[in-house]
Amino acid sequence: MKNYLSVKDIDALSQWVVEAKELKKAPKAHTVLGENKTLGLLFFNNSLRTRLSTQKAALNLGMDVMIMNFDKEGWALEFEDGTIMNQGTSEHIKEAAQVVSQYCDVLAVRAFPTLNDKAKDKAEIVLHGFAKHASIPIINMESSTGHPLQALTDAITLEEHKKKPRPKVVLSWAPHPKALPHAVANSFIEMMQLQNADFIITHPEGYELDKAITKEVPIVYDQEKAFENADFIYAKNWSSYTPYGKVLSENPNWMITKQKLGNAQFMHCLPVRRNVVVEDAVLDSKQSIVIEQANNRTYAAQLVLKKILER
Ligand code: CP
């Protein structure tokens, strides 16, 4: 595997999950693989889990790691070709990507969407800019439209916690005061389409995601009905896709409560706003598997790095 840019780069999901679980059992079994290799992590946005778990994954493989908070410490990058750079941008992606390629063997990038320019966000100018101009493999640590490391994590977590071969999994929109990206929901949906599961999405009308991603996945606008007999409820807020990047509703009735959860297990990528997205009684119950889910971020990242190093 050269790059890990989206869920489409997973060639055999069930096999990947098996391999990730093996890494979890013996995280230090492949320390020779990363010897004398350096992973660069470029963050254009904040992170807790992605930053630390990806770093830990690299250390488990014997790699060195360099981290840069590009939004705070880097030069403002230019992505357009032919621009007369006499305004705010100081360095072109063409030079930046080639320079970083000399310092690192693998590069991971986090770059969120603008949420005000749909075309620009769909073009993934930062992630694809590095993929185009770097000469080393690129890993997506959450881009404008996808979070494939999170989706692989979620697949591992579902496999570990499912109690039947074909569980019912519900992705539920939940309220949030800020306009949030679509990336986690998009990649979760793409991943779930590779799973043996009864998968549905529930959200208020107006929160339909990109049809190119949701495809034929059933959408149920009645959350209570959607949750009937659910084995897993995965909560996530996202802003509207059309109109783009708006908070259309903060309806608290969509918050996940213990009463709504029934017997389902609760998942969320974190960070999560307590008593807005989900109530304390859910997060503090044994039915919440969000902490184990976050732990699996390490093994998802480690598997991706291992596959890149072995190529
Ligand atoms: N789930 C996730 O990506 O967490 P961070 O934003 O903290 O990295």
Side-chain angles (χ1 to χ4, degrees):
M1 186 172 65
K2 167 81 195 300
N3 296 323
Y4 187 65
L5 302 180
S6 83
V7 169
K8 293 183 183 70
D9 291 316
I10 301 174
D11 58 7
L13 180 61
S14 53
Q15 181 55 34
W16 281 42
V17 169
V18 169
E19 290 176 45
K21 286 170 70 181
E22 282 166 9
L23 287 176
K24 191 173 179 177
K25 275 191 233 149
K28 299 279 189 180
H30 304 277
T31 49
V32 176
L33 204 53
E35 258 177 23
N36 303 317
K37 304 278 185 196
T38 299
L39 172 66
L41 304 179
L42 300 187
F43 284 91
F44 290 80
N45 305 93
N46 295 345
S47 169
L48 188 159
R49 280 142 289 275
T50 305
R51 179 174 172 142
L52 295 182
S53 65
T54 310
Q55 190 172 358
K56 180 166 173 156
L59 295 173
N60 281 348
L61 289 168
M63 299 182 84
D64 295 320
V65 185
M66 297 195 299
I67 301 178
M68 185 169 178
N69 293 313
F70 213 102
D71 56 326
K72 298 175 187 81
E73 300 159 355
W75 300 111
L77 288 184
E78 178 61 50
F79 294 93
E80 299 288 333
D81 281 337
T83 310
I84 298 168
M85 287 171 57
N86 61 357
Q87 299 293 318
T89 54
S90 303
E91 174 156 31
H92 203 281
I93 182 68
K94 286 182 184 176
E95 283 78 47
Q98 290 180 76
V99 168
V100 174
S101 299
Q102 298 176 113
Y103 305 150
C104 305
D105 300 282
V106 183
L107 184 66
V109 179
R110 164 166 282 200
F112 288 176
T114 64
L115 288 182
N116 53 41
D117 186 334
K118 189 188 254 188
K120 197 171 165 182
D121 290 344
K122 281 188 86 164
E124 295 278 19
I125 59 167
V126 181
L127 182 72
H128 289 173
F130 277 102
K132 181 174 177 188
H133 297 293
S135 55
I136 56 175
I138 304 294
I139 296 173
N140 180 354
M141 294 194 296
E142 188 172 346
S143 65
S144 298
T145 64
H147 196 353
L149 285 176
Q150 183 66 54
L152 179 55
T153 300
D154 299 338
I156 299 164
T157 310
L158 283 168
E159 179 61 28
E160 286 179 332
H161 288 269
K162 73 181 185 188
K163 293 172 184 151
K164 56 174 84 153
R166 188 177 168 83
K168 177 174 175 180
V169 181
V170 185
L171 172 65
S172 178
W173 180 92
H176 196 284
K178 289 173 68 177
L180 295 190
H182 311 103
V184 169
N186 284 346
S187 290
F188 186 74
I189 293 164
E190 289 181 311
M191 181 278 291
M192 285 307 303
Q193 289 172 78
L194 305 174
Q195 288 275 10
N196 180 24
D198 175 13
F199 176 53
I200 62 174
I201 304 169
T202 183
H203 58 67
E205 287 189 54
Y207 276 95
E208 289 77 8
L209 289 157
D210 186 352
K211 184 72 186 155
I213 288 171
T214 57
K215 295 182 180 146
E216 303 308 318
V217 176
I219 294 166
V220 178
Y221 295 118
D222 181 338
Q223 191 192 44
E224 199 177 325
K225 193 170 165 49
F227 285 177
E228 280 172 9
N229 302 315
D231 296 299
F232 294 92
I233 291 173
Y234 194 116
K236 185 71 188 84
N237 173 271
W238 59 86
S239 56
S240 60
Y241 188 65
T242 310
Y244 189 61
K246 304 289 181 220
V247 176
L248 303 180
S249 166
E250 289 185 55
N251 185 350
N253 293 333
W254 277 79
M255 180 173 73
I256 313 299
T257 64
K258 192 79 170 30
Q259 186 262 326
K260 286 184 198 174
L261 190 65
N263 295 320
Q265 299 183 77
F266 178 75
M267 296 177 73
H268 189 284
C269 63
L270 303 182
V272 69
R273 291 197 182 216
R274 280 176 173 251
N275 304 309
V276 175
V277 171
V278 53
E279 67 177 5
D280 285 339
V282 173
L283 284 171
D284 295 335
S285 77
K286 287 198 163 54
Q287 286 167 258
S288 171
I289 54 174
V290 299
I291 303 302
E292 291 125 285
Q293 194 180 346
N295 187 34
N296 284 334
R297 289 295 308 269
T298 298
Y299 309 105
Q302 195 169 334
L303 180 65
V304 168
L305 283 169
K306 180 171 175 284
K307 285 183 178 290
I308 287 172
L309 292 170
E310 284 172 340
R311 83 190 198 287

